[in-house]
Amino acid sequence: MTRETRAVISPAALRHNLGVAHRAAPDSRVMAVIKSNGYGHGLLRAARALRHADAFGVTCMEEAVPLREAGYAHPILLLEGLFDISELELARRYRLDMLVHSDWQVRMLETARPGRPLSVWLKVDSGMHRLGFAPGDVAAVCRRLADTAAVNDNIRFVTHLACADDRDDDSTTARQVDVFSACLRDLQGDRSIANSAGVLGWPITHADWIRPGVMLYGVDPFIDERSERPQLRPAMTLSSPLIAITQCAAGDFVGYGATWTCPEDMPVGVVAIGYGDGYPRHAGNGTPVLVNGRETQMVGRVSMDMITIDLRGLLDEVSIGDRVTLWGEGLPVERVAAHAGTIGYELLCGVTTRVHMEVERQDNEDGPGTDAV
Ligand SMILES: *Cc1c(COP(=O)(O)O)cnc(C)c1O
């Protein structure tokens, strides 16, 4: 028998969430962002389920090349562009679109050896102050790129939103959209602004291409407290079996550092998952978990390979081997993240290779064999 710590990926959920993005921005094309190993779901697994997107967005060659080699003909955009001139031939060979965010990248292209011209997306810094050209420089950079033999005529424009996750902050996003639009006023070419929060919360950001990431995996991108929440389905359900039940007495402590003291006599369950699997060590007492679909809480510290949970009121219904869900179906990862001082993105990306990844089987167009990738 092996340790049954599992992450089950649902292609149906990924497809559903892609549909939500598409319906939210029906006039825009969709670039599905599958960087960082498909937000932890597996690059090729995510690509397969999201293949009806119009394009894919990734961070680097290590993510782009396997997509092409797997046979995807979609435009694939390298969201940070080339890191080095040595990547130029690969970009040509694999027909990759590249983002251009800095003057050194423009110079690199200007001095490139002759070859097939590449599609370029020019990154505008509309206020986030991370990557991109200052709005005042965009027209000149665009002219230089247009005069560069290594770049084709179809120059497109992209910017990134800093605060779209807060629907109550209506000034920052609107200002970014204004800055972006104003500096492109006299320039032709597709525009792209929206991340997931832009797609779902800010129609003014939809433009020609949307770039949803985290919402495709079923994570609500908003940090605000509004009651209307997007109808997304978690694409990863992380679970592990209960491997021990300990009867504790009032006053007993549980786990490293004795951070939980039993307020009464109580059963404590031990679940075979810990920070060695990517469960966040900073999740504290009270972090929700589901046992056979019933919600209870973690007690005590997260160990490398185990966590301990409160089984008060559940003893009649649980036995060794029952599955405990850490996040996913019935328990959004963002709730767990909030207890660990982080965001759903980080938890999804952080699941380690020790966890068995499986694709949910289903009777649909994918048919059997979906678990191949
Ligand atoms: C990661 C990323 C996205 C997707 O962001 P989400 O918040 O996950 O939707 C979009 N655009 C760029 C440039 C990114 O790096």
Side-chain angles (χ1 to χ4, degrees):
M1 177 158 143
T2 58
R3 186 168 178 268
E4 281 285 324
T5 305
R6 284 208 294 255
V8 177
I9 308 301
S10 166
L14 289 162
R15 275 199 303 277
H16 167 86
N17 298 332
L18 180 63
V20 173
H22 186 67
R23 286 191 295 280
D27 300 325
S28 308
R29 273 167 289 170
V30 182
M31 176 181 293
V33 179
I34 55 174
K35 63 194 181 190
S36 197
N37 198 29
Y39 287 53
H41 296 62
L43 177 77
L44 295 181
R45 259 179 234 120
R48 183 180 171 104
L50 299 170
R51 64 188 180 278
H52 297 301
D54 301 290
F56 291 124
V58 298
T59 299
C60 52
M61 283 297 167
E62 289 77 2
E63 297 169 338
V65 170
L67 277 181
R68 261 302 168 257
E69 298 217 311
Y72 292 98
H74 303 60
I76 299 173
L77 174 60
L78 294 163
L79 292 165
E80 293 174 18
L82 301 185
F83 292 88
D84 185 274
I85 186 71
S86 65
E87 294 184 322
L88 188 70
E89 287 311 317
L90 278 176
R92 283 175 169 153
R93 177 163 1 129
Y94 289 97
R95 289 173 290 108
L96 305 176
D97 288 14
M98 75 177 110
L99 187 133
V100 171
H101 59 73
S102 289
D103 193 62
W104 66 263
Q105 291 177 320
V106 179
R107 279 184 275 123
M108 197 165 84
L109 292 169
E110 284 173 335
T111 55
R113 282 198 288 126
R116 177 216 293 265
L118 292 161
S119 292
V120 159
W121 299 62
L122 195 163
K123 178 86 168 235
V124 179
D125 176 10
S126 59
M128 183 155 172
H129 299 123
R130 194 177 60 178
L131 281 186
F133 292 94
D137 296 338
V138 167
V141 172
C142 192
R143 270 195 303 277
R144 277 171 66 196
L145 288 169
D147 288 341
T148 302
V151 175
N152 71 24
D153 292 339
N154 185 18
I155 297 175
R156 288 170 277 199
F157 303 94
V158 54
T159 195
H160 199 53
L161 298 170
C163 299
D165 56 353
D166 184 356
R167 287 170 291 186
D168 297 326
D169 172 358
D170 53 8
S171 58
T172 312
T173 298
R175 195 165 348 110
Q176 285 197 258
V177 172
D178 284 348
V179 166
F180 184 64
S181 309
C183 77
L184 300 180
R185 192 170 301 123
D186 300 322
L187 299 171
Q188 299 292 317
D190 285 358
R191 282 118 161 99
S192 176
I193 307 173
N195 56 2
S196 296
V199 172
L200 294 172
W202 302 89
I204 54 166
T205 67
H206 289 172
D208 299 303
W209 289 86
I210 55 172
R211 306 188 311 276
V214 82
M215 68 170 289
L216 300 176
Y217 307 95
V219 179
D220 180 342
F222 298 115
I223 55 162
D224 56 57
E225 307 281 316
R226 295 216 193 155
S227 56
E228 71 279 18
R229 309 310 304 185
Q231 297 302 306
L232 301 168
R233 290 177 47 193
M236 178 198 293
T237 296
L238 180 68
S239 71
S240 198
L242 197 62
I243 57 166
I245 298 174
T246 307
Q247 189 60 48
C248 296
D252 285 353
F253 70 79
V254 176
Y256 286 123
T259 61
W260 170 265
T261 302
C262 297
E264 57 186 318
D265 295 355
M266 62 182 278
V268 170
V270 181
V271 187
I273 193 161
Y275 59 81
D277 303 291
Y279 192 80
R281 185 177 172 279
H282 293 290
N285 289 321
T287 304
V289 301
L290 298 179
V291 190
N292 297 338
R294 291 262 314 262
E295 184 165 325
T296 180
Q297 56 168 346
M298 219 187 53
V299 293
R301 279 212 184 127
V302 175
S303 304
M304 186 182 291
D305 310 309
M306 287 175 274
I307 61 169
T308 35
I309 64 171
D310 185 346
L311 290 181
R312 279 178 288 182
L314 294 169
L315 211 47
D316 292 342
E317 328 171 3
V318 302
S319 14
I320 299 294
D322 284 356
R323 292 208 81 80
V324 178
T325 297
L326 290 317
W327 64 66
E329 198 67 50
L331 179 55
V333 67
E334 51 273 34
R335 277 190 62 205
V336 178
H339 282 267
T342 182
I343 53 178
Y345 298 73
E346 186 183 19
L347 299 190
L348 294 179
C349 289
V351 173
T352 68
T353 53
R354 185 166 70 174
V355 175
H356 302 285
M357 284 258 173
E358 291 172 16
V359 174
E360 195 166 81
R361 283 179 169 277
Q362 49 204 330
D363 29 2
N364 57 31
E365 47 162 339
D366 279 347
T370 315
D371 19 7
V373 276

